[in-house]
Amino acid sequence: MAKIVSLCKRRGFVFPSSEIYGGLKSCYDYGPLGVELKRNITGEWWRTMVHEREDIVGIDASIIMHPAVWKASGHVDGFCDPLVECLECHARFRADKAPRLPPGSEVAYRDGKTREKKRGKVEARGYVCPECNSPSLSPERMFNLMFRTNLGPIESEESTVYLRPETAQAMFVNFQNVFTSYRLKPPFGIAQVGKSFRNEITVKHFIFRSCEFEQMEMEYFVEPGTDEEWFAYWRSERLKWYLSLGLSSEKVRFREHAPQERAHYAKASGDVEYLFPWGWDELEGIANRTDFDLKRHQESSGKKLEYVDPNREDPRTGAKPFRFLPYVVEPAAGATRSVLAFLCDSYDEEPPSEARAEGRTVLRLHARLAPVKVAVFPLVRKDEWLTGKAREIVKEFWRSGTNSFYDEKDAIGRRYARQDEVGTPFCITVDGQTREDDTVTIRYRDDMRQDRIKVADAVEIVRKKILE
Ligand code: GAP
């Protein structure tokens, strides 16, 4: 992780937020390469979930929603974590994430003031402070994760609004608007990519868990009774998506939740997990939310949220029309968390070999995700013809919508190394031979192979390789 965090800072993927003021815990800024990687991930999600399907449409809803939404969804009363304070080192942490030990077992830790070694016994609740190991802890206090603010100039209970802790609720409250305006019929889905906010108590592992993050969520509305099939379908589709973008198959899995792990609204749920450097952890949650949310919003708003099929008989009464509240299957992925998974998975260090005197660091990102697709170099900086030609080629790539980079600084080997380190899959070099036959070399990042290609074919060759 330390290497990835350092690469992110050095090469402009991710910076600590407001760094000149010492940074802000759990907040991050995406730099020139990070924003490209994140946009490529959300773009791929949108392509496969929305553009390549007839049954799913997108929305982009307001981050601040009516406070009644969060009352009805259960977030105002129930979106809480158990907060505990260590009485020795005063660290605050989540009780459910603390290291668990058998009650009564002996532990060693340091006194918060004198730093002397102490021994103590684990209390009946069975956990200790994750920072200093002390069993001396405050009582658990439930802490709501939603950020509150006020709409308008007066700070009062009536003006309280929340920054959304998930994008999902916008799909439920817009359910009627979308299916009537777009004439959709279950099964159909509503997708959204956007920011969510949670006042997380424990923030660690870089961008894995932050207070401001981006989600890629889709609510799939189905006829009750077909929900279990759709749950199985989405579980398999979502796993395939990560694999299609190059995540290592032995590092991705689906883990079904035990009943006690499920959210209050879920009939079945589980996580797509990735083997991060600290172990298996959640990348995406997939849940069968039943009709919980539509039912709660229907009751709370007084507006009918049923789907009415005039051509079908109600199977219970035999009469037309058939009215039902759809069940919802939800694949809820983290975009910022995916950035970290793809970075961890693609990071590679190659030691020096017979073929190469120097080792290299390479990000083996899928070409679709790579922030820069192609780098174009003149072999020699001082030759005006070579630099002019290389600039012409890079402009051709820009015109075709391919994010490309021109570089003439340092020796060619250093330029290749700089591109390998940020995952650029193709490098094109203009050299003396270009002047004679209008060909250039294309060098492939992963095996460093070089081919000679015609300048006129370069854009098309790269375009095809990206789509592979
Ligand atoms: N609508 C359901 C929902 O929000 P979730 O499991 O709480 O479910 C879905 O969140 C995904 O959002 C997670 O799998 C994770 O990828 C991402 N996520 C949640 N909290 C996050 C945080 N604090 N920082 C970064 N990503 C987060």
Side-chain angles (χ1 to χ4, degrees):
M1 272 305 283
K3 285 180 178 171
I4 287 167
V5 175
S6 145
L7 174 85
C8 282
K9 168 85 201 307
R10 193 162 31 86
R11 298 306 311 272
F13 280 92
V14 182
F15 309 122
S17 163
S18 329
E19 200 184 4
I20 59 166
Y21 290 102
L24 186 62
K25 193 178 84 148
S26 111
C27 294
Y28 295 94
D29 296 342
Y30 289 77
L33 294 179
V35 66
E36 296 293 336
L37 175 58
K38 181 152 67 72
R39 282 171 63 120
N40 290 345
I41 292 173
T42 55
E44 280 304 307
W45 187 88
W46 197 263
R47 184 175 65 80
T48 41
M49 298 296 270
V50 181
H51 287 171
E52 289 183 355
R53 300 185 63 113
E54 282 180 68
D55 55 344
I56 302 181
V57 293
I59 60 166
D60 184 10
S62 167
I63 284 174
I64 297 174
M65 302 174 73
H66 196 292
V69 170
W70 306 109
K71 191 88 192 132
S73 67
H75 284 82
V76 170
D77 297 323
F79 195 53
C80 300
D81 280 342
L83 172 69
V84 177
E85 186 173 336
C86 171
L87 301 178
E88 283 303 329
C89 72
H90 299 286
R92 295 204 173 111
F93 61 91
R94 269 173 70 173
D96 56 333
K97 298 276 180 200
R100 307 215 87 78
L101 291 168
S105 50
E106 266 215 4
V107 283
Y109 62 98
R110 285 193 188 277
D111 183 281
K113 280 207 185 93
T114 63
R115 311 298 301 144
E116 272 167 28
K117 275 192 189 162
K118 273 174 133 179
R119 291 186 111 31
K121 283 210 163 90
V122 178
E123 293 175 8
R125 49 182 146 164
Y127 57 83
V128 291
C129 170
E131 298 298 328
C132 74
N133 224 25
S134 161
S136 168
L137 309 168
S138 75
E140 286 176 19
R141 184 168 65 84
M142 291 315 275
F143 171 82
N144 195 298
L145 270 71
M146 283 196 295
F147 282 101
R148 290 155 73 110
T149 185
N150 296 88
L151 199 59
I154 314 284
E155 273 188 37
S156 68
E157 268 309 302
E158 289 73 51
S159 69
T160 298
V161 287
Y162 305 92
L163 300 189
R164 65 181 179 201
E166 61 172 16
T167 61
Q169 293 303 321
M171 278 76 105
F172 301 127
V173 301
N174 276 300
F175 165 71
Q176 279 276 3
N177 280 340
V178 172
F179 90 75
T180 46
S181 62
Y182 220 77
R183 292 187 296 142
L184 290 160
K185 195 173 156 178
F188 73 87
I190 310 179
Q192 182 171 207
V193 172
K195 291 238 170 160
S196 291
F197 302 82
R198 296 182 192 178
N199 200 356
E200 300 279 4
I201 301 167
T202 317
V203 281
K204 56 178 177 184
H205 304 316
F206 195 33
I207 53 174
F208 177 81
R209 192 182 306 286
S210 40
C211 290
E212 178 176 342
F213 55 99
E214 221 163 304
Q215 289 186 308
M216 311 183 283
E217 297 199 285
M218 194 275 292
E219 310 302 316
Y220 201 69
F221 298 89
V222 307
E223 194 175 320
T226 63
D227 48 306
E228 289 177 17
E229 269 167 58
W230 283 113
F231 180 72
Y233 170 84
W234 280 111
R235 196 171 65 185
S236 124
E237 283 299 296
R238 295 302 304 143
L239 267 177
K240 274 194 246 160
W241 184 79
Y242 290 104
L243 298 177
S244 74
L245 290 172
L247 274 199
S248 317
S249 56
E250 69 283 3
K251 289 191 175 173
V252 197
R253 70 178 186 193
F254 182 80
R255 187 181 66 81
E256 187 106 25
H257 287 163
Q260 68 274 15
E261 282 182 275
R262 283 183 210 144
H264 57 285
Y265 50 72
K267 173 175 160 189
S269 60
D271 293 334
V272 175
E273 293 188 331
Y274 178 72
L275 187 55
F276 285 97
W278 61 91
W280 289 100
D281 220 328
E282 175 183 343
L283 194 51
E284 166 161 354
I286 303 179
N288 179 346
R289 293 181 78 125
T290 68
D291 57 1
F292 175 86
D293 302 271
L294 288 182
K295 202 187 250 166
R296 291 289 287 260
H297 288 304
Q298 182 167 270
E299 283 162 11
S300 160
S301 66
K303 301 274 176 354
K304 280 256 174 263
L305 296 179
E306 291 168 334
Y307 177 76
V308 183
D309 188 339
N311 304 318
R312 277 177 67 194
E313 289 163 2
D314 186 323
R316 286 157 303 182
T317 61
K320 281 186 185 169
F322 179 30
R323 297 170 180 276
F324 62 91
L325 266 188
Y327 269 35
V328 171
V329 175
E330 172 198 66
T336 38
R337 205 172 271 189
S338 296
V339 169
L340 184 59
F342 283 109
L343 282 172
C344 291
D345 206 67
S346 61
Y347 184 89
D348 193 14
E349 284 177 359
E350 275 180 10
S353 65
E354 271 180 27
R356 257 180 81 92
E358 281 178 35
R360 63 172 186 155
T361 298
V362 50
L363 277 189
R364 298 186 187 281
L365 285 169
H366 192 291
R368 284 181 185 273
L369 300 185
V372 176
K373 310 294 183 206
V374 54
V376 184
F377 312 140
L379 185 63
V380 186
R381 184 189 190 170
K382 289 194 184 120
D383 184 321
E384 271 181 28
W385 189 89
L386 295 187
T387 54
K389 186 74 182 170
R391 284 198 183 277
E392 249 175 54
I393 296 173
V394 87
K395 277 192 194 137
E396 269 314 302
F397 277 105
W398 292 337
R399 265 194 283 274
S400 76
T402 313
N403 194 24
S404 327
F405 184 76
Y406 172 82
D407 191 5
E408 57 180 28
K409 288 181 215 86
D410 303 319
I412 195 84
R414 301 243 343 238
R415 288 183 241 165
Y416 284 145
R418 279 202 291 266
Q419 295 306 316
D420 288 344
E421 203 186 23
V422 298
T424 307
F426 314 105
C427 291
I428 285 180
T429 304
V430 178
D431 55 19
Q433 198 180 324
T434 313
R435 217 188 298 241
E436 286 157 29
D437 60 8
D438 217 29
T439 63
V440 284
T441 58
I442 180 164
R443 179 229 190 224
Y444 300 98
R445 174 197 67 201
D446 291 342
D447 54 9
M448 297 184 279
R449 188 167 49 87
Q450 299 200 11
D451 286 340
R452 197 94 208 157
I453 58 168
K454 287 211 177 92
V455 169
D457 297 338
V459 168
E460 189 54 16
I461 288 173
V462 166
R463 196 187 67 83
K464 280 203 181 126
K465 291 264 171 214
I466 293 170
L467 294 182
E468 262 172 19

